[in-house]
Amino acid sequence: MAKAKTLKELCLHELEDIYDAEKRIVKALPKMADAASGADLRKALEHHLEQTKGHVQRLENVFQNLSEKPKGKTCDGIKGILAEGEDTVSDTGSEAVRDAAIIAACQRVEHYEMAVYGSVRSWMNQLGETSSEGLLQQTLEEEKEADKTLTTIAIGSANVRAQTAHP
């Protein structure tokens, strides 16, 4: 990244980063859903895939609001998180343990996204970009809800099944 000299430049850099991240997540979620054995987990991942496609569209709207062309910049953070998640999932033997691993991997992604969206949303507020701030807030709320859903599935079924799985 060229050195950001203004808050707007920093904001644009982070928007390019999260735009790339969301597109990578759109590609990764179907694999995670296919690997999930629990119907509730699969359904949650499929639902979040549709939301994530909407996140990409919202980011395109944010770029448009800023009179910028939507473009991504390689998001090394999400690349690493997704690669680690794929490794963890492929290194699990039982379906029950794999579901627990999928949830953990997906929650790492959600927490990364929440950090970025929270910062960028605050910067948009500071810059007076209220329409973009609202779009980013909507996405932030969906990311929080996805995290909460994954926690509910983990506590309600996946972790219990993983604990009782036979090696």
Side-chain angles (χ1 to χ4, degrees):
M1 163 177 124
K3 289 187 180 178
K5 297 177 182 139
T6 66
L7 184 60
K8 184 174 181 179
E9 288 175 356
L10 178 62
C11 191
L12 284 170
H13 168 76
E14 290 300 316
L15 286 168
E16 291 169 357
D17 189 76
I18 197 67
Y19 186 64
D20 179 72
E22 293 288 18
K23 289 179 145 196
R24 290 177 188 278
I25 294 164
V26 165
K27 291 178 184 172
L29 276 171
K31 296 175 197 168
M32 292 295 200
D34 288 344
S37 65
D40 53 349
L41 178 56
R42 189 175 312 104
K43 182 179 175 186
L45 295 175
E46 290 167 351
H47 174 70
H48 196 57
L49 171 60
E50 294 310 310
Q51 285 183 319
T52 304
K53 290 175 183 176
H55 300 168
V56 170
Q57 181 62 51
R58 270 191 219 122
L59 285 168
E60 290 170 353
N61 291 341
V62 169
F63 280 110
Q64 186 177 27
N65 289 347
L66 297 171
S67 300
E68 297 285 339
K69 183 178 190 237
K71 65 178 183 175
K73 171 198 110 28
T74 300
C75 180
D76 292 324
I78 213 69
K79 272 179 69 175
I81 291 170
L82 291 173
E84 188 176 271
E86 286 178 23
D87 288 348
T88 301
V89 169
S90 67
D91 289 344
T92 55
S94 76
E95 290 180 347
V97 173
R98 186 171 43 252
D99 280 0
I102 289 169
I103 291 169
C106 289
Q107 286 190 297
R108 284 185 192 97
V109 170
E110 296 308 324
H111 287 236
Y112 181 92
E113 291 176 297
M114 288 186 288
V116 174
Y117 280 112
S119 295
V120 176
R121 184 232 27 229
S122 294
W123 296 337
M124 287 293 180
N125 177 275
Q126 186 69 33
L127 294 166
E129 296 286 347
T130 55
S131 60
S132 292
E133 177 192 8
L135 292 170
L136 296 166
Q137 179 64 36
Q138 185 178 355
T139 299
L140 178 59
E141 292 304 320
E142 289 176 0
E143 302 295 10
K144 288 178 181 179
E145 190 59 37
D147 182 58
K148 188 186 295 184
T149 297
L150 290 167
T151 297
T152 300
I153 294 168
I155 293 169
S157 61
N159 292 350
V160 174
R161 286 185 13 249
Q163 183 181 11
T164 59
H166 298 292

